Amino acid sequence: AIPQPGARRLPTAQGNLAIVRTGSGAVYAIGDSCPHKGGPLSQGMVFGEKLQCPMHGLVVDLKSGFAVAPDSGAVATYPVRIDAGRILVGLVPQSAAA
């Protein structure tokens, strides 16, 4: 159960992912570690198609994985699809930040 908007941590063999649901209901999967200081992105605030790190305020674009403010950097993004109400996440990164 992921709030709308909100995020949850998903432990995987490759490391933790942040599964994020936006206010519009779109679902994204990104690496859970902020590229700035390693903060848990799954505990951040979701607004629009972006997520803000709870530790230092870095804002990540959920579609690209790239930081938009106040620093640079990127997190890996992962493919997501919804099937019969279940969120399915591919564990092969689809972005260059992987």
Side-chain angles (χ1 to χ4, degrees):
I2 301 172
Q4 187 174 332
R8 293 287 187 260
R9 180 176 62 101
L10 174 65
T12 74
Q14 290 84 2
N16 292 330
L17 302 181
I19 309 302
V20 182
R21 184 184 311 267
T22 67
S24 67
V27 178
Y28 296 92
I30 62 173
D32 193 30
S33 182
C34 175
H36 179 230
K37 295 277 185 172
L41 293 175
S42 58
Q43 295 178 20
M45 183 174 68
V46 179
F47 57 99
E49 303 294 313
K50 296 176 177 55
L51 180 114
Q52 185 174 30
C53 176
M55 292 182 68
H56 298 97
L58 181 100
V59 176
V60 174
D61 179 88
L62 293 168
K63 291 179 182 180
S64 70
F66 287 101
V68 294
D71 295 310
S72 61
V75 295
T77 60
Y78 296 81
V80 173
R81 69 181 171 93
I82 309 294
D83 184 13
R86 297 183 69 172
I87 299 171
L88 304 175
V89 179
L91 296 181
V92 176
Q94 62 186 12
S95 71

